[in-house]
Amino acid sequence: MQQWLAEIAYESTSGPKKVTESFYLPTVDDVRMAITKKGGYVLNIRPYTRSPLERLLARSTWWQVQLLRGIQFRSNSASPGVAFWKMIQAETNPRRQNILAPAREALARGLGVIDALKALNIFDHGTLAILAGSERANKLVDGIPHAIQSITQKRKNSRAIIGTLSWLAFDVFSIVSALWAGEDLVLGWFRDNPPADAAEHEKFTRVVNSLELTWDVLIWTALASGAFMAWCVASFWLNRGKKDWPTARVVRKIPLIGSYLRDLAFADSMLAAARMLRGKVPIDITLQQSADASGAPEVAKYWDDASYNLGRGVGLGVALDRKPLTRSERLEIAGLSDLDQVATVMESIAEMRSASAKTRHKFIVWIAFALTGVFLVIAFGSAIYALTVMNMSMDSMMGGLLSGAI
């Protein structure tokens, strides 16, 4: 599915009339067919791409929260789908109209409110999992506050990580820029003023070469780390809404960060599954929906495997008893068969996974502090070491001057 902008000519009593309309359809041929059914003539069709400002607004957590609150408020007097449609129709800001165009087209084609929210491509899979689970249980209005809470909590975690990394990056940038600017000056001065004594000269050369290698390693390590972080941030921003792409696979292989993302995905999908079960949604639909809504491939595979084994006639507890659940989680879920009990255990697992994610988040912050501290210690230590080298050269120069004066 993609958003398209089409220039269309319509026959009117005053002659041909040219208008521009947006469509949310899979291919250009589908757009042409839709225009023909409306009695128009195609002049031009092009894929619509959001401007950077629209992309920034659409993917901001503030916009997401406002959108969900608007649906929740209007759902008091109408169904969520109708409430969302009225909200879109009442929007007068052109930029927001462009952002909401995919959802408008999805609703116009008879799709549900969750499909319309997915069409916007602004929510992460965890939020969609909570909303989809609530919608399946016919309690979307009750699920929106939980989705908003999830968005705000993730925003707090992201701000904490970004604030910490920004402060640490400033410290590292200050040191690296000083090393970069002073390397040629300091090392050049050392090489221009070597000790006169042959034994000291050999030691001096070895020390200067070691100092140059240390500074080069520090500078290029900092530059490579900064480039990798910038690449990850840009890639996650541009690919938001997708389930898997190369950068995500690389990040998931980082031990602590990979487990942190997996805990968040499990917490969201388990909570969504529990809400669906409490809403009397059939278990097979619950498992399929949880797999579709999860953004982590490992978590999605867990739900797919459970659904496959359940279809083979395996008991519910046995079907859910598999990795990557922890041993304690598997012990809780293995012997269950009643859906109400399963929902309670899933809520418990979601709570434990959320607590685990918070703990890992703190570890990530402290490890970032520790690694930056090690970097700064090495940088300051090498600078102090450079002063000892300078003293070695100065002592040699003073000795030469004194011997010449005598």
Side-chain angles (χ1 to χ4, degrees), residues 98-146:
N98 289 335
I99 295 173
L100 294 171
R104 183 181 65 245
E105 293 296 328
L107 291 173
R109 294 177 57 234
L111 300 178
V113 63
I114 298 301
D115 293 318
L117 292 174
K118 289 180 180 179
L120 293 176
N121 195 26
I122 62 175
F123 294 100
D124 59 40
H125 289 283
T127 303
L128 288 175
I130 296 173
L131 294 173
S134 302
E135 194 267 343
R136 285 284 186 176
N138 294 320
K139 297 180 179 179
L140 179 59
V141 177
D142 296 334
I144 287 178
H146 295 281

Side-chain angles (χ1 to χ4, degrees), residues 14 18 37 49 75 78 124 150 218 231-232 235 238 242 268 306 337 398:
S14 59
K18 178 181 175 182
K37 289 181 179 179
T49 56
S75 296
D124 59 40
S150 175
L218 290 176
W231 172 56
C232 289
S235 180
L238 294 175
K242 296 182 180 179
D268 292 336
S337 58
M398 293 300 296

Side-chain angles (χ1 to χ4, degrees), residues 251-278:
V251 172
R252 284 197 299 269
K253 291 181 180 179
I254 303 175
L256 192 59
I257 296 179
S259 57
Y260 168 72
L261 295 175
R262 185 172 60 249
D263 284 343
L264 288 179
F266 253 124
D268 292 336
S269 62
M270 283 286 180
L271 183 60
R275 294 185 65 84
M276 283 186 277
L277 291 177
R278 291 198 182 281

Side-chain angles (χ1 to χ4, degrees), residues 295-359:
E298 188 176 4
V299 177
K301 186 177 184 301
Y302 166 81
W303 294 110
D304 285 332
D305 291 344
S307 177
Y308 172 75
N309 283 283
L310 190 66
R312 293 174 54 239
V314 177
L316 179 59
V318 178
L320 295 173
D321 178 18
R322 62 184 59 255
K323 293 182 178 181
L325 292 182
T326 62
R327 180 177 177 82
S328 59
E329 293 169 347
R330 295 178 67 175
L331 288 175
E332 281 191 64
I333 211 167
L336 299 177
S337 58
D338 183 77
L339 292 182
D340 290 334
Q341 292 179 347
V342 174
T344 302
V345 172
M346 285 184 174
E347 289 174 344
S348 175
I349 292 175
E351 185 177 352
M352 289 189 293
R353 289 284 180 166
S354 296
S356 176
K358 292 180 181 179
T359 302

Side-chain angles (χ1 to χ4, degrees), residues 30 52 85 99 102 111-112 124 143-145 151 168 171 178 192 198 208 221-222 303 318 361 372 381 385 403:
D30 294 325
W85 176 261
I99 295 173
L111 300 178
D124 59 40
I144 287 178
I151 292 173
L168 298 178
D171 290 341
D192 292 338
V208 171
T221 299
W303 294 110
V318 178
H361 170 262
T372 306
Y385 189 58
S403 62

Side-chain angles (χ1 to χ4, degrees), residues 158-179:
S158 300
R159 285 181 176 177
I161 292 178
I162 291 173
T164 301
L165 294 181
S166 298
W167 178 256
L168 298 178
F170 175 76
D171 290 341
V172 173
F173 174 78
S174 302
I175 298 299
V176 170
S177 58
L179 293 177

Side-chain angles (χ1 to χ4, degrees), residues 2-6 21-23 25-28 31 45-47:
Q2 185 176 352
Q3 187 177 356
W4 307 85
L5 285 183
E21 297 182 5
S22 65
F23 296 85
L25 294 168
T27 64
V28 176
V31 178
I45 300 175
R46 61 182 176 87

